[in-house]
Amino acid sequence: MFSKAYKYMAAAGVSLAFCAAAQAQQEIRIGVIYPLTGAAASTGNEIKNALDLAADIVNNGAKGINNLPFAAGGGLPNLKGAKIKLVYADHQSNPQVGASEAERLITQEKVVALMGSYNSNVTQTASQVAERYKVPFLNAESSAAGLTQRNFKWFFRTTAHDDLFVHNFYVFYKELAAKKGIKVKNVALFNENTQWGNETTKLETKLSADNGINVTKAISYPAKSTQLTSEVQLLKAANPEVVMQSSYLGDAIMSMKTYKQLGFSPDMILANNAGFTDTEFIRTLGKDADYVITRETWSLDLAKNNPLIKQVNDLYNSRYKVNLTGNTSRAFTGLLTLADAINRAGSTDPEAVRKALVATDIPGNKLIMPWKGIKFDAQNIYGAGILVQIVDGKYHTVWPFDIATTDVVWPMPKWEQRK
């Protein structure tokens, strides 16, 4: 039936692009590339749950959540109620797989846009493919600063990046000294060695020197390491006050176990998100996860200032029996941002969607993130970070101090002092 109508409209001079758009109104296919197996599978599948929830809200609504975009449901109104269809691909934390899956989604699955990919080094390769094919790529979680320094036309990132996040660490040190009398003089850097960790190491080295902080040891360890004993022994010998660490989930858990095993107790572990904010981190380590401070982009305790946070978290928790995290809240927000752009474009034409993304201006009161809004210069200019500390198995906002929900615990109790 459709093929006959298609031929008729083409013969009548109606553009084939219009025919394709008419068909697409029934289903908007978005390709999503995440680590669904392998070392980062726990994080990837939590992100998948958040994306599924966001798509369901667009398609079917969410009762009682009034200020969230598309909460009324019914699909995309400017595309005659078209529904979001997420087409998943598993990159296995492998940049080459991510690139090939991006190409498959574009050429075979005919997606109108891509999302992904959590691991910055995979986002790098997958977005290169999207740029070549001129398909919009929305990145919600990867934080390597270099991703938005490539002058790409089709790449958009909603989250803040590591340049901002790492600068925040040093602002925190200054304010910690001014407000609490705690002066950090010696740090060690402990970062995984893919793009994300390597960029972080370079920036932390520079900012430490700029701020008069001594780096006693800088260790870049192989991603997906099976043991970290020798690296932790080197950290212990360096005797830093603070370990500044960038690790994905498996490495984050392994390092904490090794710290305890070797009796390594710095005053603080200041983590760069990722594995330290995955639900599995606290679930696996229990009380041994306590007192770590990690940078974040979201925290449930900020719901006192934004009712949307609790409303959406309650919905997520009712389905998946866990709370949102910084990763899942960013993914959720990212998909709604992409859906908003497609809806404003009123089209699945890639250039129309790209232009709509450029024109994005979502106010902060419609977000579950503690941001002033979403507006792009490739990078979301309103992206921001916070610091949270794990106490009694929960994340508590401790910085910026003017929005902190609890006082920072410093130093961390020694392992033998913990109950």
Side-chain angles (χ1 to χ4, degrees):
M1 180 69 71
F2 179 81
S3 63
K4 290 181 179 180
Y6 189 93
K7 290 177 181 178
Y8 174 79
M9 286 188 286
V14 180
S15 76
L16 300 186
F18 177 85
C19 301
Q23 185 184 33
Q25 284 171 358
Q26 302 305 311
E27 186 176 85
I28 306 296
R29 294 169 68 81
I30 297 174
V32 282
I33 311 172
Y34 285 96
L36 303 178
T37 61
S42 173
T43 304
N45 282 282
E46 285 191 345
I47 287 173
K48 180 179 182 297
N49 289 341
L51 294 172
D52 287 343
L53 176 61
D56 187 46
I57 288 174
V58 173
N59 294 338
N60 302 304
K63 292 182 179 179
I65 304 180
N66 300 320
N67 208 33
L68 191 72
F70 304 107
L76 302 181
N78 293 346
L79 281 142
K80 300 181 179 179
K83 307 289 186 179
I84 295 291
K85 170 68 176 178
L86 301 180
V87 184
Y88 285 98
D90 175 17
H91 65 58
Q92 307 163 38
S93 298
N94 184 317
Q96 287 70 40
V97 173
S100 62
E101 285 296 89
E103 187 160 22
R104 180 184 66 82
L105 289 169
I106 293 168
T107 61
Q108 297 180 31
E109 296 291 346
K110 307 299 181 184
V111 299
V112 304
L114 290 174
M115 273 195 70
S117 295
Y118 177 62
N119 304 74
S120 289
N121 59 340
V122 181
T123 299
Q124 168 111 348
T125 58
S127 60
Q128 287 171 352
V129 174
E131 190 76 9
R132 188 169 74 248
Y133 279 96
K134 298 182 179 179
V135 170
F137 192 108
L138 192 289
N139 172 237
E141 319 86 11
S142 302
S143 59
L147 291 171
T148 44
Q149 296 170 352
R150 298 174 293 172
N151 295 317
F152 277 14
K153 182 179 179 181
W154 299 85
F155 183 79
F156 299 85
R157 175 162 54 186
T158 48
T159 186
H161 53 77
D162 283 322
D163 198 335
L164 172 67
F165 290 138
V166 176
H167 271 88
N168 282 349
F169 291 151
Y170 293 86
V171 176
F172 170 64
Y173 288 150
K174 287 182 178 179
E175 294 185 1
L176 191 67
K179 295 180 180 294
K180 309 287 184 182
I182 300 168
K183 297 182 180 180
V184 175
K185 298 179 181 179
N186 299 291
V187 302
L189 313 182
F190 192 40
N191 301 322
E192 59 86 51
N193 69 351
T194 68
Q195 180 187 12
W196 170 56
N198 288 336
E199 285 189 7
T200 300
T201 297
K202 290 179 182 178
L203 189 55
E204 288 174 343
T205 300
K206 179 184 183 301
L207 290 177
S208 292
D210 291 347
N211 288 274
I213 295 174
N214 179 44
V215 176
T216 63
K217 195 72 177 179
I219 298 175
S220 294
Y221 67 87
K224 304 179 184 178
S225 291
T226 57
Q227 64 85 28
L228 293 170
T229 302
S230 59
E231 289 86 351
V232 174
Q233 287 172 334
L234 291 172
L235 286 176
K236 186 175 181 180
N239 194 32
E241 295 162 337
V242 177
V243 172
M244 302 181 72
Q245 183 167 347
S246 302
S247 301
Y248 290 115
L249 178 63
D251 307 336
I253 291 173
M254 187 191 314
S255 65
M256 294 297 294
K257 290 181 176 180
T258 308
Y259 294 157
K260 184 178 182 180
Q261 178 186 357
L262 298 181
F264 177 46
S265 296
D267 287 351
M268 188 54 61
I269 297 167
L270 186 55
N272 194 15
N273 195 258
F276 291 89
T277 60
D278 188 285
T279 301
E280 197 62 36
F281 182 75
I282 293 176
R283 183 183 293 150
T284 298
L285 292 172
K287 291 184 177 180
D288 288 346
D290 273 356
Y291 306 111
V292 168
I293 294 176
T294 178
R295 65 96 169 161
E296 251 294 12
T297 52
W298 180 93
S299 182
L300 182 56
D301 63 0
L302 295 178
K304 67 176 186 178
N305 299 320
N306 182 357
L308 267 182
I309 291 176
K310 184 178 187 305
Q311 292 168 357
V312 174
N313 186 77
D314 285 349
L315 185 56
Y316 183 81
N317 189 285
S318 69
R319 295 192 183 196
Y320 305 114
K321 310 308 176 188
V322 294
N323 290 328
L324 287 163
T325 65
N327 291 323
T328 51
S329 61
R330 284 185 292 177
F332 177 90
T333 300
L335 183 57
L336 291 185
T337 301
L338 183 55
D340 171 72
I342 295 171
N343 182 60
R344 283 185 291 104
S347 168
T348 57
D349 173 69
E351 177 62 15
V353 175
R354 189 196 69 80
K355 287 181 177 178
L357 282 165
V358 171
T360 295
D361 192 0
I362 302 173
N365 64 358
K366 294 186 178 296
L367 303 175
I368 63 170
M369 309 304 298
W371 301 338
K372 294 180 180 178
I374 296 176
K375 190 172 185 178
F376 290 115
D377 179 10
Q379 179 72 47
N380 175 20
I381 65 173
Y382 296 126
I386 61 175
L387 296 180
V388 297
Q389 185 169 36
I390 304 172
V391 179
D392 295 329
K394 295 181 179 179
Y395 296 96
H396 303 269
T397 303
V398 294
W399 185 89
F401 290 124
D402 61 347
I403 64 169
T405 60
T406 189
D407 202 14
V408 65
V409 178
W410 192 296
M412 302 170 66
K414 304 298 183 185
W415 292 109
E416 61 272 16
Q417 296 172 343
R418 302 189 190 191
K419 296 181 181 180

